[in-house]
Amino acid sequence: MTEHTTPRSVRFRLEREADWRDLEGMVGRTLNRGLSVLSDEELQRLPRLYRDVLSSLSVARSTALDRSMVEYLDSLASRAYLVMYGTRRLRRNVVGDF
C-alpha cells in the first residue's frame, strides 16, 4: 500500500501510536502507584504527550476519523487528565474516608 492508498485514519494512527502507547503506559502505572513510579525523563515527557493526545483527539473528532480511535483517544485523554490534574490523595485514604 502506498501513502496515497493508505487510509487517512491508518496513517494518522501509525504516525502517533508509539506516543499514545507511551502515555498509556505512564498513565496506567501512575494511576496504580502514583507519580513516583515515573522516571525523570518520563515526568518531563508526560505534559507533552498529554497535549499531543488532546491534539490527536481534536483532529480525530473534527475529521471524522474512525469511531473506535476517537473513543480510545477520549479514554486515554480522560485518564491522563486524572494524572495531570487529579487529586493526589491515595486510594487507600479515599477508601478509608468512606
Side-chain angles (χ1 to χ4, degrees):
M1 225 179 243
T2 67
E3 183 175 318
H4 297 294
T5 61
T6 303
R8 184 174 39 160
S9 63
V10 171
R11 283 190 315 235
F12 183 83
R13 180 184 293 265
L14 289 174
E15 292 169 357
R16 294 162 179 82
E17 192 167 29
D19 284 345
W20 299 344
R21 296 289 181 210
D22 286 348
L23 180 60
E24 189 170 16
M26 285 186 232
V27 166
R29 291 189 343 257
T30 302
L31 288 176
N32 289 328
R33 299 184 305 237
L35 285 170
S36 63
V37 301
L38 298 182
S39 69
D40 289 342
E41 179 188 332
E42 288 174 320
L43 285 170
Q44 290 176 348
R45 290 182 61 225
L46 182 63
R48 182 189 61 81
L49 292 174
Y50 174 64
R51 286 188 304 268
D52 288 351
V53 83
L54 292 176
S55 176
S56 294
L57 176 58
S58 177
V59 169
R61 282 182 174 158
S62 67
T63 59
L65 291 177
D66 113 38
R67 182 178 170 163
S68 65
M69 183 186 307
V70 172
E71 290 172 356
Y72 166 75
L73 292 172
D74 188 47
S75 173
L76 178 56
S78 296
R79 289 179 287 128
Y81 175 87
L82 291 176
V83 170
M84 295 292 295
Y85 302 108
T87 176
R88 299 293 184 235
R89 295 176 63 199
L90 295 175
R91 287 184 186 177
R92 69 175 172 259
N93 292 344
V94 173
V95 172
D97 290 348
F98 177 71

